[in-house]
Amino acid sequence: MDTPPELIDFTAGGPQSGDLDVAWIHGSESAKHNTDQDIQVHAYDEHTFILRQNMAVNYEAPFMFLLFGNARAVLIDTGATASADFFPLRRVVDGLVDTWLAAHPRDGYGLLVLHTHPHGDHVAGDAQFAGRPGTVVVDAARDSAWEFFGFSDDSGDGGDSDGGDGGIRPAHVDLGGRVLACWPSPGHHHAAVTFYDPHTGFLLTGDTVYPGRLYIQDWSAFVRTIDRLIAFCDTHPVTHVLGCHIEMSRQPGVDYPIFTTYQPYEPPLQMTVEQLRQIRRAIDEVGGRPGRHVFPGFILCLDED
Ligand SMILES: [Zn+2]
């Protein structure tokens, strides 16, 4: 007789606080002599992991997120490097899943691989998950990802009708008692997606919002996306806004140049809802003018058309 698995209640009492007091690996003066782990794993809580890729392996050093539900886990983004030798994402994720399942035994546990957007430094490890049992990898390209989420063609534009959810009703992805809300978030990339996790209160913003250079491909779409996220934050408990990179230094308005592989004075990854509002005010100030617009905690980068 099998005993039914112990079901974790991910909803009781609103967002649970966890540990973000972490020193991230941040490269080294000599990339060649870097001794950091290939992938740093930080447990926010026992069901929530934040991963960072080694900066010497790829200067983008993106962050990834692994969230466990009762029925399956979701991995959001797969990093900047395809090679499992240099970037053993599959091995690290398998280890975390094995450990979690040892503590919370259940049969037929699944893995879902989703993405914040299809840029190469967020999808490179996808192939490592090909053929993994119980695993669904949703291609990050707009057609496949939006079909999975059920976003329609006009999800990214207009539609400011329904109030509380910021103009567009989110899609929901159920991990088994842990239900993520997901929005189309064009602006940085036309296929970008933002995720909200009610268990932690995390808003996972990909490259749309992070402490760094916010490269805006479509200005008006970016403005609508930020408005939508703020409207959601007005009505829901968001604890941390977490993007996928750190490019600023701790000195306000000073970023590490692109291709930097040593960032000893990084600010925290997590941003606040107030910083999201600062981005909104910066939007008004910039007004869609092309250029590099420097603010204390982020830089808005907008190309000439
Ligand atoms: Zn990107």
Side-chain angles (χ1 to χ4, degrees):
M1 288 284 285
D2 288 340
T3 44
E6 149 241 4
L7 285 182
I8 299 148
D9 183 352
F10 288 102
T11 57
Q16 303 298 299
S17 57
D19 175 18
L20 272 176
D21 186 15
V22 49
W24 296 113
I25 54 173
H26 52 256
S28 48
E29 278 181 270
S30 164
K32 185 175 172 180
H33 300 100
N34 185 288
T35 55
D36 293 333
Q37 315 95 293
D38 296 324
I39 301 169
Q40 180 180 9
V41 175
H42 174 70
Y44 178 78
D45 63 28
E46 71 168 311
H47 312 300
T48 307
F49 296 84
I50 307 174
L51 283 57
R52 188 180 206 185
Q53 178 167 357
N54 184 316
M55 194 169 280
V57 175
N58 186 290
Y59 71 92
E60 295 278 12
F63 291 85
M64 294 144 281
F65 302 88
L66 181 66
L67 315 178
F68 287 84
N70 281 307
R72 56 181 172 170
V74 65
L75 174 65
I76 298 176
D77 283 359
T78 62
T81 301
S83 162
D85 293 331
F86 293 105
F87 180 60
L89 182 62
R90 164 78 182 272
R91 178 166 61 72
V92 167
V93 168
D94 283 354
L96 290 167
V97 171
D98 287 350
T99 302
W100 191 88
L101 283 173
H104 309 283
R106 58 205 66 209
D107 294 328
Y109 197 73
L111 176 68
L112 179 62
V113 179
L114 300 176
H115 308 86
T116 59
H117 65 296
H119 280 154
D121 53 322
H122 299 260
V123 303
D126 276 15
Q128 294 185 27
F129 295 89
R132 186 185 185 279
T135 301
V136 173
V137 180
V138 178
D139 189 274
R142 177 158 158 158
D143 284 355
S144 37
W146 288 36
E147 184 185 340
F148 170 83
F149 289 110
F151 299 151
S152 61
D153 261 354
D154 58 348
S155 294
D157 306 298
D160 299 309
S161 50
D162 76 346
D165 289 325
I168 297 281
R169 277 191 195 289
H172 292 103
V173 172
D174 190 352
L175 308 176
R178 187 175 189 177
V179 182
L180 309 183
C182 316
W183 296 263
S185 307
H188 169 72
H189 189 286
H190 72 126
V193 178
T194 298
F195 301 85
Y196 174 70
D197 169 36
H199 168 65
T200 56
F202 286 176
L203 192 66
L204 303 177
T205 47
D207 285 1
T208 305
V209 173
Y210 66 92
R213 293 177 293 277
L214 309 182
Y215 294 102
I216 301 165
Q217 175 222 337
D218 179 334
W219 177 260
S220 55
F222 183 77
V223 176
R224 284 194 298 274
T225 289
I226 297 298
D227 280 343
R228 181 179 303 164
L229 298 182
I230 288 173
F232 180 80
C233 293
D234 283 341
T235 51
H236 296 77
V238 171
T239 55
H240 301 284
V241 177
L242 294 161
C244 288
H245 301 279
I246 300 172
E247 292 163 353
M248 302 307 289
S249 72
R250 286 184 182 269
Q251 192 175 344
V254 177
D255 60 329
Y256 288 103
I258 190 169
F259 304 124
T260 301
T261 56
Y262 181 45
Q263 302 190 162
Y265 304 111
E266 290 183 338
L269 172 66
Q270 65 271 22
M271 296 175 78
T272 62
V273 173
E274 172 50 29
Q275 283 177 295
L276 208 53
R277 297 183 201 285
Q278 287 169 11
I279 291 173
R280 188 62 185 85
R281 292 195 285 274
I283 283 171
D284 283 338
E285 215 175 300
V286 168
R289 277 174 294 125
R292 176 186 148 98
H293 306 278
V294 179
F295 295 86
F298 54 88
I299 298 172
L300 301 185
C301 299
L302 184 60
D303 282 343
E304 304 272 355
D305 280 331

mmCIF file of all heavy atoms in Angstrom, residues 117-122 188-189 207 245, ligand 1:
data_model
loop_
_atom_site.group_PDB
_atom_site.id
_atom_site.type_symbol
_atom_site.label_atom_id
_atom_site.label_comp_id
_atom_site.label_asym_id
_atom_site.label_seq_id
_atom_site.Cartn_x
_atom_site.Cartn_y
_atom_site.Cartn_z
ATOM 1 N N HIS A 117 12.474 34.780 -21.792
ATOM 2 C CA HIS A 117 12.471 35.229 -23.192
ATOM 3 C C HIS A 117 13.537 34.451 -23.943
ATOM 4 O O HIS A 117 14.383 33.802 -23.339
ATOM 5 C CB HIS A 117 12.670 36.744 -23.299
ATOM 6 C CG HIS A 117 14.002 37.253 -22.826
ATOM 7 N ND1 HIS A 117 14.420 37.148 -21.516
ATOM 8 C CD2 HIS A 117 15.036 37.845 -23.494
ATOM 9 C CE1 HIS A 117 15.622 37.682 -21.401
ATOM 10 N NE2 HIS A 117 16.026 38.105 -22.578
ATOM 11 N N PRO A 118 13.489 34.517 -25.278
ATOM 12 C CA PRO A 118 14.353 33.621 -26.071
ATOM 13 C C PRO A 118 15.774 34.095 -26.333
ATOM 14 O O PRO A 118 16.469 33.451 -27.113
ATOM 15 C CB PRO A 118 13.600 33.512 -27.417
ATOM 16 C CG PRO A 118 12.347 34.269 -27.285
ATOM 17 C CD PRO A 118 12.489 35.181 -26.126
ATOM 18 N N HIS A 119 16.256 35.159 -25.734
ATOM 19 C CA HIS A 119 17.664 35.522 -25.977
ATOM 20 C C HIS A 119 18.578 34.368 -25.575
ATOM 21 O O HIS A 119 18.287 33.626 -24.634
ATOM 22 C CB HIS A 119 18.025 36.798 -25.208
ATOM 23 C CG HIS A 119 17.568 38.054 -25.905
ATOM 24 N ND1 HIS A 119 17.302 39.219 -25.224
ATOM 25 C CD2 HIS A 119 17.338 38.318 -27.224
ATOM 26 C CE1 HIS A 119 16.923 40.151 -26.098
ATOM 27 N NE2 HIS A 119 16.932 39.629 -27.307
ATOM 28 N N GLY A 120 19.710 34.280 -26.305
ATOM 29 C CA GLY A 120 20.593 33.116 -26.185
ATOM 30 C C GLY A 120 21.097 32.837 -24.786
ATOM 31 O O GLY A 120 21.351 31.674 -24.430
ATOM 32 N N ASP A 121 21.251 33.866 -23.963
ATOM 33 C CA ASP A 121 21.783 33.655 -22.613
ATOM 34 C C ASP A 121 20.697 33.214 -21.623
ATOM 35 O O ASP A 121 20.947 33.138 -20.415
ATOM 36 C CB ASP A 121 22.494 34.920 -22.107
ATOM 37 C CG ASP A 121 21.641 36.172 -22.201
ATOM 38 O OD1 ASP A 121 20.882 36.320 -23.191
ATOM 39 O OD2 ASP A 121 21.722 37.012 -21.285
ATOM 40 N N HIS A 122 19.518 32.869 -22.134
ATOM 41 C CA HIS A 122 18.434 32.372 -21.278
ATOM 42 C C HIS A 122 17.929 30.994 -21.698
ATOM 43 O O HIS A 122 17.127 30.394 -20.994
ATOM 44 C CB HIS A 122 17.267 33.375 -21.276
ATOM 45 C CG HIS A 122 17.681 34.714 -20.749
ATOM 46 N ND1 HIS A 122 17.422 35.115 -19.461
ATOM 47 C CD2 HIS A 122 18.387 35.715 -21.324
ATOM 48 C CE1 HIS A 122 17.942 36.318 -19.270
ATOM 49 N NE2 HIS A 122 18.533 36.707 -20.385
ATOM 50 N N HIS A 188 11.484 44.557 -23.786
ATOM 51 C CA HIS A 188 12.869 44.107 -23.998
ATOM 52 C C HIS A 188 12.908 43.109 -25.159
ATOM 53 O O HIS A 188 13.808 43.142 -25.979
ATOM 54 C CB HIS A 188 13.405 43.465 -22.722
ATOM 55 C CG HIS A 188 14.711 42.748 -22.920
ATOM 56 N ND1 HIS A 188 15.896 43.421 -23.136
ATOM 57 C CD2 HIS A 188 15.013 41.423 -22.974
ATOM 58 C CE1 HIS A 188 16.871 42.540 -23.308
ATOM 59 N NE2 HIS A 188 16.366 41.324 -23.216
ATOM 60 N N HIS A 189 11.932 42.237 -25.179
ATOM 61 C CA HIS A 189 11.816 41.248 -26.264
ATOM 62 C C HIS A 189 10.336 40.990 -26.489
ATOM 63 O O HIS A 189 9.568 40.958 -25.521
ATOM 64 C CB HIS A 189 12.541 39.960 -25.866
ATOM 65 C CG HIS A 189 12.666 38.984 -26.999
ATOM 66 N ND1 HIS A 189 11.598 38.245 -27.463
ATOM 67 C CD2 HIS A 189 13.728 38.653 -27.761
ATOM 68 C CE1 HIS A 189 12.015 37.483 -28.476
ATOM 69 N NE2 HIS A 189 13.292 37.709 -28.676
ATOM 70 N N ASP A 207 14.756 39.963 -18.342
ATOM 71 C CA ASP A 207 15.587 41.122 -18.694
ATOM 72 C C ASP A 207 14.752 42.385 -18.837
ATOM 73 O O ASP A 207 15.246 43.417 -19.278
ATOM 74 C CB ASP A 207 16.334 40.866 -20.014
ATOM 75 C CG ASP A 207 17.498 39.907 -19.832
ATOM 76 O OD1 ASP A 207 17.707 39.423 -18.701
ATOM 77 O OD2 ASP A 207 18.189 39.636 -20.830
ATOM 78 N N HIS A 245 19.937 39.381 -14.406
ATOM 79 C CA HIS A 245 21.345 39.791 -14.461
ATOM 80 C C HIS A 245 21.587 40.852 -13.393
ATOM 81 O O HIS A 245 20.641 41.468 -12.893
ATOM 82 C CB HIS A 245 21.705 40.430 -15.811
ATOM 83 C CG HIS A 245 21.483 39.552 -16.999
ATOM 84 N ND1 HIS A 245 22.368 38.580 -17.390
ATOM 85 C CD2 HIS A 245 20.474 39.515 -17.911
ATOM 86 C CE1 HIS A 245 21.917 37.981 -18.483
ATOM 87 N NE2 HIS A 245 20.760 38.526 -18.819
HETATM 88 ZN ZN ZN B 1 17.554 39.516 -23.056
#
